[in-house]
Amino acid sequence: MPGASKSAPLANPHYQQIGGEPVVRQLVDRFYALMDQLPQAAMVRAMHPADLTPAKQRLFMFLSGWLGGPPLYAEAFGHPRLRHAHAGFAIDAAARDAWMACMNQALQELVPDEVLRQQLGAAFFKTADFLCNQ
């Protein structure tokens, strides 16, 4: 990993375990494709602009650092401040669960390691639940 110290252990090894940049990009692409496809995700999809390109890039950048890889989002934009960034959206348990349905299916399709998939699903749920504001 460029810029990483070889002697410093990763606090979060999920980035490497999931397959690094290529799989994180695939995860983001599949997540947003599912958001367009799953009927229960329509309310969450409606919170996004028609062109998902910027959202995909930001999620990729965020997940890169969140999973223990290069902190691309923080380098470009500073601390993510997730609650602040999502404060303008009504996020309730149904929205959280719809978001999680997309992410869980993407994880199911792209992460063959069941233990890793469960760890990531739990971490995603904790973060998604944290964003609930209704």
Side-chain angles (χ1 to χ4, degrees):
M1 183 166 52
S5 167
K6 297 215 185 274
S7 62
L10 290 174
N12 180 352
H14 291 144
Y15 182 81
Q16 292 302 326
Q17 291 173 339
I18 200 173
E21 179 181 344
V23 177
V24 174
R25 284 195 186 279
Q26 290 174 355
L27 184 68
V28 169
D29 287 343
R30 186 62 183 138
F31 167 78
Y32 279 111
L34 289 163
M35 192 182 291
D36 276 335
Q37 295 169 6
L38 298 179
Q40 69 265 38
M43 72 171 105
V44 177
R45 178 59 177 95
M47 296 178 193
H48 293 76
D51 180 7
L52 290 172
T53 305
K56 285 181 178 184
Q57 183 59 20
R58 282 184 179 247
L59 182 58
F60 165 74
M61 293 171 75
F62 171 76
L63 289 181
S64 177
W66 187 75
L67 290 167
L72 304 175
Y73 188 96
E75 289 172 352
F77 306 109
H79 188 280
R81 299 178 57 205
L82 290 180
R83 280 197 142 190
H84 177 76
H86 293 82
F89 303 99
I91 302 173
D92 59 10
R96 175 202 62 209
D97 293 348
W99 192 96
M100 284 301 306
C102 297
M103 186 54 73
N104 282 332
Q105 185 169 333
L107 288 169
Q108 182 70 35
E109 293 175 14
L110 294 166
V111 180
D113 182 320
E114 183 177 345
V115 172
L116 177 59
R117 198 169 53 244
Q118 289 175 354
Q119 290 172 347
L120 292 172
F124 275 120
F125 181 85
K126 184 177 178 180
T127 302
D129 193 54
F130 172 74
L131 296 178
C132 286
N133 56 21
Q134 302 289 305

